[in-house]
């Protein structure tokens, strides 16, 4: 017994965790990413799971590099394991919709964003909100709807407490953390930089990032994107963020109010414009759009994310969830019009109501329906 114990202690590639022995491979075995693929391509099919918030993915081998999603094979998965089908009829089809470069496997390998459909009727599953969004964007294409979304999120330890916070305790009050520098006020920058570069490699139209008001909370921006690309790129950016966080043993929370109390929540502020709004005289078009939005406030709130009432309280740079308001440079309003837009007489507006866990397909489709179609 003593000999076995001593051999185990002397082995530098072995350690124990919670009484379970885990063998670690030698460092040379970890360098598998440079192995030749024999001319084959690995394609990670990615889809939205049954909750409408979770992301799933699995890999298949391709013989050649596809130039268009239509060249990719339709695949399937066990929907009973993702909350998307019953066990007695569990098959769900994956329809490739958009291709991205794989920032993890690199080379010619790809990430494939997919839609989920029923294998017999070919109708979109309830979790497939992309299908209707694509139809709505097609109807509105002559208006050239542009979007830019500001995705806020919180980096957590595996104990589900924000990075940089004393475990089970609280840091100093908000103030020094927004756009901060320094290890005493900025937590998780390496993850953020890794994610930013991975999105650029993938082809996601990421536009920027910054530390947010609550410590451990961050934001990245995607856009401007026209039509359906907005939802596609944001979902893929979320997937890439989750994958990057795996490397650091960190959990990503998209909950709109991850910590109760005097702390900012997390949103998914959605900037929007049409061609008419971006041209001379566009400010009046913006005012008309806001008037339309004011009449269907509840319909928008219904698709702007779960538990959003915990965030839209009228405090921490939000408007009350029960009230609609707008203003120039007002971050406490439902709709903010940038000061520069007012000055130029054209531009865009920001819908500050969507929560960080909102489905961008539902959000962008609802805005287009209200402002352009209805």
């Amino acid at each position: 017994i003593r000999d076995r114990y001593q051999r185990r202690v002397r082995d530098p590639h072995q350690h124990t965790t919670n009484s379970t022995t885990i063998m670690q491979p030698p460092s040379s075995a970890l360098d598998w990413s440079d192995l030749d693929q024999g001319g084959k391509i690995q394609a990670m099919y990615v889809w939205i799971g049954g909750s409408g918030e979770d992301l799933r993915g699995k890999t298949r081998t391709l013989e050649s590099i596809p130039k268009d999603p239509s060249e990719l094979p339709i695949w399937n998965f066990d929907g009973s394991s993702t909350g998307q089908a019953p066990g007695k009829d569990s098959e769900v089809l994956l329809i490739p919709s958009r291709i991205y470069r794989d920032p993890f496997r690199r080379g010619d390998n790809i990430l494939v964003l997919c839609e989920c459909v029923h294998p017999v009727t070919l109708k979109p599953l309830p979790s497939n909100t992309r299908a209707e969004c694509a139809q709505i964007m097609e109807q509105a294409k002559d208006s050239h709807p542009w979007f830019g979304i500001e995705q806020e999120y919180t980096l957590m330890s595996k104990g589900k407490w924000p990075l940089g916070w004393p475990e089970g305790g609280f840091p100093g009050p908000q103030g020094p953390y927004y756009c901060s520098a320094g290890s005493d006020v900025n937590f998780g920058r390496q993850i953020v930089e890794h994610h930013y570069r991975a999105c650029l490699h993938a082809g996601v139209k990421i536009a920027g990032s910054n530390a947010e008001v609550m410590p451990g909370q961050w934001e990245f921006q995607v856009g401007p994107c026209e039509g359906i690309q907005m939802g596609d790129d944001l979902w893929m950016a979320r997937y890439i963020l989750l994958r990057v966080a795996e490397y650091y043993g960190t959990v990503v929370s998209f909950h709109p109010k991850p910590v109760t109390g005097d702390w900012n929540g997390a949103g998914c502020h959605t900037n929007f414009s049409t061609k008419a709004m971006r041209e001379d005289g566009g400010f009046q078009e913006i005012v008309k759009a806001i008037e339309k939005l004011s009449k269907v406030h509840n319909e928008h709130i219904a698709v702007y994310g779960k538990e959003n009432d915990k965030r839209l309280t009228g405090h921490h740079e939000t408007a009350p969830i029960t009230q609609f308001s707008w203003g120039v440079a007002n971050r406490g309003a439902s709709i903010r019009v940038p000061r520069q837009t007012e000055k130029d007489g054209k531009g865009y507006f920001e819908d500050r109501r969507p929560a960080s866990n909102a489905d961008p397909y539902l959000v962008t489709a609802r805005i287009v329906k209200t402002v352009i179609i209805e």
Side-chain angles (χ1 to χ4, degrees), residues 21-227:
T21 301
I22 302 173
M23 293 298 296
Q24 297 295 326
S27 59
S28 60
L30 295 175
D31 195 20
W32 50 264
S33 61
D34 291 333
L35 293 175
D36 179 73
Q37 296 183 204
K40 308 295 185 181
I41 306 299
Q42 287 177 280
M44 172 69 81
Y45 279 42
V46 178
W47 69 95
I48 301 167
S51 71
E53 296 181 31
D54 59 313
L55 285 156
R56 310 286 180 133
K58 65 175 186 172
T59 303
R60 69 179 299 158
T61 302
L62 304 177
E63 297 296 322
S64 59
I65 305 171
K67 297 179 180 178
D68 187 83
S70 63
E71 298 176 7
L72 288 162
I74 293 174
W75 206 8
N76 64 74
F77 67 92
D78 171 17
S80 68
S81 296
T82 62
Q84 292 172 284
K88 62 182 179 181
D89 186 15
S90 63
E91 191 171 296
V92 175
L93 296 186
L94 290 170
I95 310 298
S97 300
R98 192 179 293 272
I99 297 172
Y100 298 86
R101 297 168 67 198
D102 190 332
F104 306 105
R105 291 171 172 147
R106 307 185 188 185
D108 293 324
N109 301 303
I110 57 176
L111 302 175
V112 183
L113 187 65
C114 301
E115 287 191 29
C116 297
V117 303
H118 190 277
V120 178
T121 65
L122 300 183
K123 290 184 178 180
L125 265 60
S127 59
N128 178 4
T129 54
R130 185 185 190 276
E132 183 179 3
C133 182
Q135 294 175 359
I136 290 171
M137 295 305 172
E138 178 63 23
Q139 293 178 53
K141 65 180 181 180
D142 291 341
S143 295
H144 297 283
W146 286 7
F147 299 91
I149 291 184
E150 305 164 26
Q151 174 70 69
E152 294 178 333
Y153 61 94
T154 308
L155 294 174
M156 302 275 204
S157 67
K158 287 190 175 180
K160 301 296 181 67
W161 203 238
L163 288 192
W165 293 42
E167 196 65 37
F170 298 89
Q174 296 182 153
Y177 310 106
Y178 175 69
C179 295
S180 59
S183 59
D184 58 334
V185 290
N186 190 286
F187 314 108
R189 188 187 298 278
Q190 189 67 19
I191 297 171
V192 173
E193 293 295 334
H194 189 162
H195 172 251
Y196 201 138
R197 190 64 60 87
C199 283
L200 288 173
H201 178 91
V204 169
K205 203 170 183 183
I206 189 168
S209 71
N210 60 270
E212 268 300 334
V213 177
M214 189 184 85
Q217 189 181 88
W218 290 81
E219 172 184 301
F220 64 87
Q221 304 92 37
V222 176
C225 297
E226 184 165 335

Side-chain angles (χ1 to χ4, degrees), residues 293-367:
L293 291 168
S294 70
K295 296 177 180 179
V296 286
H297 174 65
N298 291 334
E299 288 84 342
H300 280 253
I301 291 296
V303 297
Y304 275 10
K306 299 174 182 177
E307 298 190 80
N308 206 11
D309 58 309
K310 293 179 172 61
R311 167 179 162 265
L312 296 182
T313 61
H315 303 288
H316 304 109
E317 302 181 271
T318 69
I321 196 169
T322 56
Q323 299 175 19
F324 180 90
S325 60
W326 75 279
V328 175
N330 186 355
R331 283 181 163 78
S334 307
I335 304 293
R336 178 184 69 91
V337 175
R339 184 71 66 189
Q340 193 65 42
T341 293
E342 181 189 47
K343 180 180 178 181
D344 295 341
K346 59 184 177 182
Y348 67 95
F349 65 82
E350 175 193 43
D351 191 337
R352 297 180 57 80
R353 296 172 294 173
S356 50
N357 59 6
D359 180 346
Y361 294 133
L362 292 177
V363 172
T364 57
R366 183 65 252 189
I367 290 174

